[in-house]
Amino acid sequence: MAADVTLLQYALVGFASLLASVVGGVAGYGTGLLLPPVLIPLIGAEAVVPVIGLSALATNGSRLIAFRQHLDWRRAGIVSLFALPFSALGAYGYTLLSGPGAMLLIGLVLIVLVPARRLLARRHGHLTDKGLALASGGYGLLVGGTSGSGVFLISMLLAAGLSGMAVIATDAAISLPVGIVKSAVFLWQGALPLSAWIMAGVIGLCAIPGAFLARRLTGGLSLAAHAWILDGVVILGGALVVLQALRHLG
């Protein structure tokens, strides 16, 4: 993959990563949703989830440092405990998919997660610890085999009663160990060659400043308006990926 990607394309990916990191730092999600349409034409659908999962270690690590004072340790522990084993299972299942199959899965998940996020958001403050633990298993399976399912985690945390920067910090604290487990499974399955590490490194390094820029912007933006804009971009990107997958299948 590395030999086929030009320096200009790496620069495009880096710029997209920086923008996605800012969006993710403000809204709590977005990095894994916005990058697939950029990455798929360059590295192929099969490599998207492993590359984004590996790069997310830097993304979530920097986000956790930037928002660490707002972290809810108890809920982060509950979700991580129940999500980690299922994320390993989901990552293993992803490695068995074909190229068009992976593209179709990514596109459909991007589209479905938008109404799923809004449906869960309506339950704000009504998800108990037991409900959070139960939902965490489903989230783990989803996040292990897809890109962008952080939307689902954000909605879970909102439904559990968190808000504002506490959601962003707790999401990062959960996503970091989940990303380590996913990357370990992908490495074991041979889905992380050197070229994937190079691309993930570009994404991760360019995303780090975005977390701290997002912290400065958080107080001045309307999260509701931003969420509507992002949802529109996500649905459009998902639809384009699905069309590309169907074209390959046909």
Side-chain angles (χ1 to χ4, degrees), residues 33-34 37 110 114 227-240:
L33 290 169
L34 298 177
L110 292 183
V114 171
W228 278 108
I229 295 172
L230 183 58
D231 284 350
V233 173
V234 168
I235 291 176
L236 177 60
L240 292 175

Side-chain angles (χ1 to χ4, degrees), residues 64-65 67-81 129 132 157 162 165-167 169-174 176-177:
L64 178 59
I65 293 173
F67 294 92
R68 63 188 180 279
Q69 295 179 343
H70 305 277
L71 172 60
D72 187 313
W73 286 97
R74 181 172 63 85
R75 290 189 174 93
I78 291 173
V79 177
S80 297
L81 178 64
D129 285 352
L132 186 63
L157 296 176
L162 297 185
M165 288 184 281
V167 174
T170 306
D171 168 84
I174 295 165
L176 190 57

Side-chain angles (χ1 to χ4, degrees), residues 25-133:
V26 172
Y29 67 97
T31 305
L33 290 169
L34 298 177
L35 286 180
V38 177
L39 289 176
I40 286 177
L42 300 179
I43 63 177
E46 301 98 322
V48 167
V49 172
V51 166
I52 291 182
L54 184 59
S55 68
L57 300 183
T59 304
N60 288 304
S62 59
R63 193 177 299 168
L64 178 59
I65 293 173
F67 294 92
R68 63 188 180 279
Q69 295 179 343
H70 305 277
L71 172 60
D72 187 313
W73 286 97
R74 181 172 63 85
R75 290 189 174 93
I78 291 173
V79 177
S80 297
L81 178 64
F82 288 90
L84 286 175
F86 288 97
S87 67
L89 181 61
Y92 175 74
Y94 182 84
T95 62
L96 304 179
L97 291 174
S98 65
M103 292 172 62
L104 189 60
L105 176 62
I106 292 171
L108 290 175
V109 168
L110 292 183
I111 295 171
V112 169
L113 281 177
V114 171
R117 181 190 70 79
R118 293 192 173 275
L119 180 63
L120 278 178
R122 294 176 185 174
R123 291 184 54 82
H124 181 85
H126 292 84
L127 191 62
T128 64
D129 285 352
K130 290 183 178 179
L132 186 63

Side-chain angles (χ1 to χ4, degrees), residues 152-165:
F152 192 77
L153 176 57
I154 289 296
S155 300
M156 285 167 48
L157 296 176
L158 287 171
L162 297 185
S163 61
M165 288 184 281

